[in-house]
Amino acid sequence: MAKQRSGSGTILNGLPSQIPDTDPEETQEWLQSLDGAVEAGGRRRARFLMLKLLERARETQIGIPSLTTTDYVNTISPDEEPAFPGDEDVERRYRAWIRWNAAVMVTRAQHPDIGVGGHISSYASAATLYEVGYNHFWRGRDHEGGGDQVFFQGHASPGMYARAYLEGRLSEDDLNGFRQEKSHSYTGDVRAVPSYPHPRSMPSFWQFPTVSMGIGPLNAIYQAQFNKYLHNRGFKDTSDQHVWAFLGDGEMDEPESRGLLQVAANDELDNLTFVVNCNLQRLDGPVRGNGKIVQELEAYFRGAGWNVIKTLWGRGWDPLIESDRSGALVNLMNTTPDGDFQTFRANDGAFIRDSFFGRDPGTKDLVKDWSDEDIWWKLKRGGHDYRKVYAAYKAAVDHTGQPTVVLAHTIKGYSLGSHFAGRNATHQMKKMTPEDLKGFRDSLKIPISDEQLEADPYAPPYYHPGEDDEALQYLQQRRRELGGYVPERRPKAGTALSLPGDQAYAAAKKGSKQGVATTMAFVRIFKDLMRDKEFGKHIVPIIPDEARTFGMDSFFPTAKIYNVHGQTYTSVDADLMLAYKESTDGQILHVGINEAGSVAALTAAGTSYDTHGVPMVPFYVFYSMFGFQRTGDFIWAATDQLARGFMIGATAGRTTLAGEGLQHADGHSLLLAASNPGVVSYDPAYGYEIAHIIRDGLRRMYGEDPENVLYYLTVYNEPMQQPAEPEDVDVEGILAGMHLISPGKPPKDSDDGGSGDGKCVRLLSSGVGVPWALDAQHLLTEDWGVSADVWSVTSWTELRREAMACDEAAFEDPEAERRVPYVTRRLSEGSGPVIATSDWMRQVQDQIASWVPEDYYALGADGFGFADTRAAARRFFRIDGPCMAVKALQMLADRGELDPQVPLDAAAKYRIDDVTAGTSGTAGGDA
């Protein structure tokens, strides 16, 4: 077998190697032409020419082999490697200290009195990958180019803490509080660090939460895209900023890890590098024991349009590969499955000689003069070799026109000893025995004695050489030259925004004579916000492929859709007023049928105040059902990352979109939103409510003292007449969660001028359900002589949270004056039982049950949705106006205030068991 080297561009799949070169002179001329193009116009020009040649080859039906996988060797050959610019010996010295301190921190957290665990092996496998980045590539916030953004692999966090300890950013007390965020104190102050990268827990340290696997890669793609978006829109020069994402090969099994690779390729995000730590292991065992995950990933990334760099073998392999004249060694590397590679490193040099090299006489002969110890120590994986990793990173940042992935071959648990390295259980091993520590100490040459290690097996000492140590000074100097520490957040560094005044909200407060859905009411407000000269440009509209559903296609010709390539075609509707227009400086992020990517875009825009010092205001408008249900994990990551902005759940409700059927019927996202403490959710009924909520949201998130929250508003597609804002509008109530919109009236036959004969109820409803409550009010008063107050509940969740805060305050200080919850205080103003309804499942309304001062019952749309008319669906769930009236009468009868026959008569009168008798809601219900 002829020797093939991927570094020289070998194409394995279909290269016609048996076809003779009939004109070598002409072949040489072609090659010289390419060299000349590179020399004259640079690599970008040469790349363009090559792509045009490939395009023409396809046009002329010349068979072009696909570049999917290359040999299982390094992409960059030894003669192509750049000189290593640092002092490798010095860097290796403090890398050993970081390895030691990371392992000690996790071991200490396993003290019997604590036992909170931690992960040692992930960082051990990736230490070189991180240190080369720290020492030579990652620019801090003070770099003139703006600084890089690094998405650290979550399980490797101990290494980042250990480095920060040497840098003087964290103390021993901080490290001793690993995974004890509330309980570990020192001199009265809590000193601790969280288990993984959590910006909310360490708001001046971590930038990106990544440990929920699959979220890091996707968010990194959209961070890189947003960097270019900011640049192209003229907000900031981000051309010198790079995004790095560190991932595990097991993590690449997550659909999110691979699902949007094409976005990075389509946008030519050459400011993005993925580094996949290919230690060939998941959490419990091998990733592809029978196969080769590196080859699989190479094909996948290359097929998605990425530049792929494989860093598989350390420098000790170079002479063996160079002398492999027959190609036997490369063939062996190509055919050995990952399960065997894992097993080799869990054994000794003799085992590797027999079980790997011994498979072929040609390969066995290559190491005949090598000792077993040489085989063990010299033949490192590429991800543990400084020079190989540096060469890969430099090639990645120098590459143009494509994102790059570095596939680095490593060993899980590397350097931790035979009990850890390459073992299936290594991910779950949380501590080192005294013997493990001694061996680890010896291999790293840490100056700590046996006596120190034996004094307390659960508290081995950290190692710090002192600030004057030359290696530590080298470390600090490298970071100074690169612009400061990484990671680092600077949440207060952003410029303040000038928020819109009253005029931006005026139209929504006028009401409407015709039916207007709250989705359209929101869009009208949004349009006026976009028109604000100073503030409007900071808005980032984010829309999946549903803009026309939400009535937002009118934004296309003015704000335009962001596309890094602009628009190179003539739109089919180019002659229409609302033509589809794309532009390199477009404002709208129209991400396609892609809710996960939309939330990633929201996260990048909503944290721009930190990452770029430029506050941006994302408005993510989406099909309500496909928000929290489909992308809840990403929303949790967004709130962990301290994102700010608005999520608009359009076409909300279980029955409002009833024509669409089960999977489009959202009756539960408000409940899911309530589970996220970083989300402020509202379910407004009217346009003027939306106006006050958005205005206050902008104040809270972008005002003088910004809060790190996301706002979630549910809006509907059912048209209804929008009332004008009342002169005495209760803004406090709208924002707190409920306000009285229609006080109860005395029945017509009442002559006491009050509330009839004293029978009163309170009707609570939200969103599209408010008209049902008004309908119930009318029925109760006109047909049964019962007075009913109607309240619009703009937020069940905010009412609950405020009430819980009151309870908590009383629990913490029982002697202080009791705060009365807002919902209790307001409902104490009237009398009678309280009935609640909405287009959501009953648990949404039940959130306030504990604090309602009267008998309380919630109707709700529980169960699966279905396709039918709105009126029929509401009658089926018994949440409409007549059902609300019947329930009110039942509660009065249960209290002895009405004859028990009355609610029975009402049920028969309104035919509440007949879905065809439903009347609440307008016709329609599709999207």
Side-chain angles (χ1 to χ4, degrees):
M1 174 180 173
K3 185 170 106 169
Q4 294 179 326
R5 296 283 292 281
S6 61
S8 57
T10 302
I11 302 174
L12 292 183
N13 296 0
L15 182 70
S17 56
Q18 299 302 311
I19 299 176
D21 188 348
T22 57
D23 193 341
E25 208 171 300
E26 182 186 29
T27 302
Q28 189 60 32
E29 288 176 2
W30 276 88
L31 294 175
Q32 289 172 350
S33 296
L34 178 58
D35 292 341
V38 174
E39 185 176 345
R43 286 176 297 165
R44 185 179 292 273
R45 175 61 182 165
R47 176 177 181 271
F48 175 80
L49 293 172
M50 289 298 298
L51 290 174
K52 295 303 290 185
L53 284 173
L54 289 170
E55 183 180 2
R56 180 56 56 86
R58 293 189 184 98
E59 290 173 355
T60 54
Q61 299 185 27
I62 299 173
I64 301 296
S66 60
L67 294 125
T68 54
T69 59
T70 56
D71 284 326
Y72 201 73
V73 293
N74 296 342
T75 302
I76 301 171
S77 63
D79 56 330
E80 294 173 325
E81 291 176 12
F84 185 76
D87 188 323
E88 191 172 354
D89 291 334
V90 172
E91 293 180 23
R92 186 182 294 112
R93 197 185 318 163
Y94 60 74
R95 182 184 63 187
W97 304 340
I98 296 171
R99 284 184 179 277
W100 174 263
N101 290 332
V104 166
M105 182 183 70
V106 175
T107 297
R108 285 186 168 213
Q110 274 298 92
H111 192 284
D113 295 335
I114 303 172
V116 292
H119 298 283
I120 304 175
S121 296
S122 292
Y123 175 71
S125 70
T128 299
L129 302 176
Y130 286 115
E131 282 303 302
V132 171
Y134 271 121
N135 294 324
H136 302 287
F137 291 94
W138 302 338
R139 291 162 291 197
R141 304 290 291 264
D142 293 327
H143 190 274
E144 60 183 1
D148 293 343
Q149 287 111 31
V150 184
F151 289 72
F152 293 93
Q153 191 177 11
H155 291 103
S157 63
M160 311 315 124
Y161 295 140
R163 177 174 244 272
Y165 168 60
L166 291 183
E167 293 170 335
R169 304 173 66 197
L170 296 177
S171 68
E172 282 194 24
D173 300 308
D174 294 315
L175 269 56
N176 286 336
F178 179 59
R179 292 192 168 197
Q180 304 153 66
E181 294 182 63
K182 306 299 182 184
S183 64
H184 186 265
S185 62
Y186 178 75
T187 63
D189 296 326
V190 173
R191 301 292 297 270
V193 292
S195 51
Y196 304 123
H198 292 301
R200 189 167 285 274
S201 296
M202 288 185 77
S204 63
F205 191 85
W206 293 116
Q207 277 196 298
F208 308 108
T210 53
V211 79
S212 187
M213 294 188 187
I215 289 180
L218 196 150
N219 278 353
I221 289 172
Y222 279 88
Q223 182 65 55
Q225 183 198 61
F226 185 74
N227 288 4
K228 295 216 170 190
Y229 171 90
L230 277 184
H231 183 90
N232 289 336
R233 289 197 58 209
F235 279 100
K236 182 186 178 187
D237 182 356
T238 64
S239 59
D240 202 26
Q241 294 185 268
H242 206 83
V243 177
W244 299 78
F246 282 78
L247 319 167
D249 48 1
E251 182 178 3
M252 298 310 295
D253 283 347
E254 289 283 3
E256 294 87 354
S257 296
R258 306 192 194 189
L260 290 171
L261 298 183
Q262 80 282 353
V263 172
N266 291 344
D267 277 23
E268 296 184 359
L269 298 180
D270 48 15
N271 60 340
L272 173 66
T273 296
F274 276 15
V275 180
V276 183
N277 178 17
C278 298
N279 56 38
L280 314 184
Q281 290 184 241
R282 295 196 190 102
L283 307 186
D284 291 331
V287 180
R288 296 286 185 273
N290 294 320
K292 299 181 80 63
I293 185 61
V294 169
Q295 302 299 80
E296 176 187 320
L297 292 176
E298 178 186 22
Y300 204 98
F301 275 93
R302 183 166 283 126
W306 287 54
N307 175 43
V308 180
I309 299 173
K310 293 195 293 190
T311 303
L312 306 181
W313 308 111
R315 71 194 74 170
W317 290 88
D318 290 342
L320 295 182
I321 296 174
E322 186 65 30
S323 59
D324 177 31
R325 303 300 179 187
S326 67
L329 179 57
V330 173
N331 181 63
L332 194 56
M333 291 170 165
N334 287 338
T335 57
T336 299
D338 287 354
D340 281 345
F341 276 129
Q342 180 188 345
T343 301
F344 296 152
R345 203 58 194 182
N347 288 278
D348 57 17
F351 184 89
I352 296 172
R353 181 193 300 277
D354 294 339
S355 301
F356 179 68
F357 291 105
R359 293 183 178 186
D360 187 293
T363 56
K364 187 173 183 178
D365 192 55
L366 288 174
V367 293
K368 66 180 179 180
D369 297 326
W370 288 46
S371 68
D372 293 343
E373 193 168 278
D374 283 343
I375 291 175
W376 175 255
W377 287 110
K378 291 183 178 180
L379 299 183
K380 295 181 178 181
R381 306 281 166 89
H384 301 305
D385 189 311
Y386 262 57
R387 295 182 189 176
K388 302 297 184 182
V389 174
Y390 178 83
Y393 287 5
K394 189 172 190 313
V397 297
D398 288 348
H399 190 76
T400 58
Q402 289 176 291
T404 294
V405 59
V406 176
L407 302 175
H409 197 183
T410 66
I411 298 162
K412 195 161 189 176
Y414 180 75
S415 82
L416 293 176
S418 59
H419 292 159
F420 287 81
R423 302 291 177 181
N424 279 338
T426 188
H427 187 79
Q428 304 303 332
M429 296 171 74
K430 316 295 185 185
K431 63 183 179 183
M432 303 180 77
T433 67
E435 292 308 310
D436 289 330
L437 285 167
K438 290 176 183 178
F440 189 42
R441 173 205 59 191
D442 293 342
S443 68
L444 298 177
K445 300 179 181 177
I446 306 295
I448 292 176
S449 67
D450 286 355
E451 289 76 17
Q452 288 175 287
L453 295 179
E454 293 167 357
D456 184 348
Y458 288 99
Y462 297 107
Y463 180 71
H464 194 296
E467 301 296 338
D468 295 332
D469 183 90
E470 64 174 358
L472 203 56
Q473 290 181 355
Y474 175 100
L475 176 151
Q476 297 283 23
Q477 181 62 24
R478 291 306 303 136
R479 290 316 313 158
R480 283 192 292 271
E481 291 175 2
L482 286 167
Y485 296 123
V486 175
E488 182 187 19
R489 287 188 84 254
R490 297 181 182 176
K492 298 187 182 301
T495 57
L497 290 181
S498 176
L499 300 181
D502 294 341
Q503 189 58 35
Y505 308 99
K509 299 179 180 181
K510 294 179 180 178
S512 67
K513 294 182 179 179
Q514 72 280 9
V516 174
T518 49
T519 296
M520 293 298 100
F522 158 73
V523 170
R524 178 60 191 272
I525 295 169
F526 188 56
K527 186 177 296 183
D528 288 339
L529 291 174
M530 292 271 285
R531 287 173 176 165
D532 187 285
K533 290 184 179 179
E534 290 301 317
F535 176 80
K537 62 186 179 182
H538 287 268
I539 292 176
V540 182
I542 302 169
I543 318 169
D545 195 31
E546 291 281 4
R548 298 182 192 280
T549 298
F550 309 139
M552 298 185 73
D553 48 324
S554 60
F555 292 84
F556 292 162
T558 52
K560 301 183 180 63
I561 297 164
Y562 173 75
N563 189 314
V564 70
H565 303 293
Q567 183 166 322
T568 59
Y569 62 95
T570 302
S571 172
V572 68
D573 56 5
D575 58 338
L576 300 180
M577 182 178 295
L578 301 184
Y580 194 84
K581 290 187 179 179
E582 301 180 66
S583 173
T584 55
D585 63 351
Q587 188 168 0
I588 301 169
L589 289 177
H590 193 264
V591 297
I593 306 175
N594 178 6
E595 287 84 6
S598 299
V599 180
L602 167 84
T603 304
T607 55
S608 181
Y609 69 91
D610 166 56
T611 52
H612 293 289
V614 180
M616 303 296 284
V617 188
F619 276 84
Y620 167 35
V621 189
F622 55 94
Y623 226 129
S624 178
M625 185 66 161
F626 307 132
F628 281 82
Q629 173 170 295
R630 178 168 289 184
T631 58
D633 201 9
F634 282 90
I635 297 171
W636 272 96
T639 55
D640 189 350
Q641 197 172 322
L642 310 178
R644 303 167 187 164
F646 290 90
M647 296 180 290
I648 309 297
T651 61
R654 181 143 285 165
T655 66
T656 309
L657 199 63
E660 293 285 281
L662 187 151
Q663 285 186 267
H664 289 68
D666 178 17
H668 52 278
S669 68
L670 282 174
L671 200 62
L672 298 175
S675 70
N676 190 321
V679 174
V680 179
S681 58
Y682 283 94
D683 186 32
Y686 299 133
Y688 71 85
E689 294 176 337
I690 298 173
H692 285 291
I693 291 166
I694 289 179
R695 183 170 190 168
D696 194 59
L698 289 173
R699 177 193 64 81
R700 288 181 64 181
M701 294 184 286
Y702 298 93
E704 293 182 2
D705 188 18
E707 299 177 47
N708 297 315
V709 293
L710 286 171
Y711 264 58
Y712 175 48
L713 276 67
T714 49
V715 292
Y716 302 80
N717 73 326
E718 181 174 4
M720 62 182 183
Q721 187 172 350
Q722 294 287 330
E725 178 178 290
E727 291 185 7
D728 58 346
V729 61
D730 181 7
V731 177
E732 179 191 8
I734 291 173
L735 301 179
M738 63 184 296
H739 65 121
L740 182 64
I741 61 168
S742 181
K745 299 176 182 178
K748 284 185 178 180
D749 58 356
S750 171
D751 56 8
D752 63 1
S755 55
D757 56 4
K759 296 187 289 294
C760 299
V761 297
R762 272 78 61 77
L763 306 177
L764 276 56
S765 56
S766 68
V768 77
V770 168
W772 317 339
L774 293 170
D775 183 25
Q777 179 191 49
H778 175 78
L779 297 176
L780 287 168
T781 304
E782 298 297 316
D783 295 348
W784 311 101
V786 174
S787 177
D789 294 339
V790 175
W791 295 75
S792 173
V793 178
T794 52
S795 180
W796 307 94
T797 302
E798 287 303 291
L799 290 173
R800 172 181 174 80
R801 288 177 177 172
E802 190 270 345
M804 290 173 65
C806 293
D807 288 357
E808 186 66 22
F811 185 74
E812 291 177 355
D813 188 359
E815 295 182 353
E817 182 180 355
R818 296 290 182 94
R819 286 167 45 196
V820 179
Y822 188 85
V823 62
T824 305
R825 185 155 33 95
R826 296 308 305 270
L827 290 178
S828 296
E829 297 171 5
S831 62
V834 180
I835 302 93
T837 195
S838 78
D839 209 12
W840 304 90
M841 60 191 301
R842 180 175 172 178
Q843 283 172 277
V844 174
Q845 292 79 258
D846 275 345
Q847 289 182 86
I848 66 169
S850 296
W851 299 277
V852 175
E854 277 276 11
D855 296 331
Y856 180 70
Y857 191 89
L859 305 172
D862 288 75
F864 288 109
F866 53 87
D868 210 315
T869 66
R870 289 171 177 148
R874 289 160 186 170
R875 179 53 54 90
F876 174 84
F877 286 120
R878 293 192 172 93
I879 56 176
D880 62 4
C883 291
M884 201 176 192
V886 171
K887 187 61 191 177
L889 296 172
Q890 286 180 353
M891 294 181 74
L892 288 170
D894 290 343
R895 291 157 62 108
E897 298 180 31
L898 276 182
D899 187 314
Q901 186 60 39
V902 173
L904 298 176
D905 293 343
K909 178 181 178 68
Y910 304 135
R911 295 160 54 199
I912 64 169
D913 291 329
D914 184 356
V915 295
T916 66
T919 58
S920 292
T922 60
D926 69 354

